[in-house]
Amino acid sequence: MKEFGEITTAHLFDIVVDLSPRLNIGSGPFGQRILFGAAGGSFEGPKLRGGVLPGGGDWALVRPDGALTLDVRLTLRTHDDALVQMTYGGRWITPPELRADIADPVKRYQVDPTQYYFRTNPLFETGAKQYAWLNDIVCVGAGYLIDGGIAYKVSQVF
């Protein structure tokens, strides 16, 4: 194996996605499909900041084993009016003993996010010259629930 250095990360931004009421599409051949629609939000980091446009969302799949598989597409508008598409998959693994609390509308925000595994792999696409560098990076994110939505800490992988 060749040496090429350790994989490192650096903070890219924090993002909050406000969610519309979920739509339960129902159980299909792969599990239960739920749409968590994006109603807005914001993001901010050292190199870019702005808002989350309504209209995207997470076409999540609850697998038979209780794990949640993410399939997210969002459109970001930067503070200087550039549009950036953000897509990511991921996994949200909640231990069985926490699932009732996560399902409870009051208790879910009290669950310590270190008690579950909620990770994503954001990728970006934009035609804006000042943000073209986003087209060539891979990121990782750690998510957690907030009142009215979801939040992530997103880091660029080097």
Side-chain angles (χ1 to χ4, degrees):
M1 181 63 72
K2 289 186 177 186
E3 277 299 316
F4 58 87
E6 291 296 315
I7 293 174
T8 60
T9 62
H11 180 248
L12 184 63
F13 58 69
D14 295 316
I15 185 169
V16 171
V17 182
D18 303 326
L19 297 176
S20 302
R22 70 184 189 172
L23 299 174
N24 187 347
I25 296 167
S27 293
F30 305 109
Q32 181 181 4
R33 183 74 63 184
I34 301 170
L35 171 58
F36 297 95
S42 62
F43 64 96
E44 184 162 352
K47 295 182 180 179
L48 69 165
R49 67 184 187 284
V52 177
L53 297 181
D58 181 357
W59 287 259
L61 181 68
V62 182
R63 299 185 324 206
D65 64 0
L68 191 73
T69 299
L70 308 175
D71 180 7
V72 179
R73 285 158 177 69
L74 299 172
T75 303
L76 310 179
R77 184 184 302 276
T78 63
H79 74 286
D80 54 354
D81 214 31
L83 294 176
V84 178
Q85 179 180 335
M86 178 180 179
T87 61
Y88 55 92
R91 299 290 185 270
W92 185 7
I93 311 299
T94 304
E97 63 274 12
L98 290 177
R99 290 180 187 157
D101 287 346
I102 292 291
D104 184 292
V106 174
K107 292 183 181 179
R108 70 177 49 149
Y109 308 112
Q110 299 166 0
V111 176
D112 180 352
T114 64
Q115 300 302 305
Y116 51 78
Y117 182 84
F118 191 168
R119 301 295 185 266
T120 64
N121 57 337
L123 296 172
F124 303 94
E125 183 179 336
T126 185
K129 289 184 175 34
Q130 69 271 37
Y131 298 108
W133 56 274
L134 287 168
N135 295 324
D136 299 323
I137 66 172
V138 172
C139 293
V140 293
Y144 56 96
L145 292 172
I146 59 167
D147 191 16
I150 204 91
Y152 298 96
K153 292 188 133 326
V154 177
S155 296
Q156 181 177 350
V157 177
F158 294 96

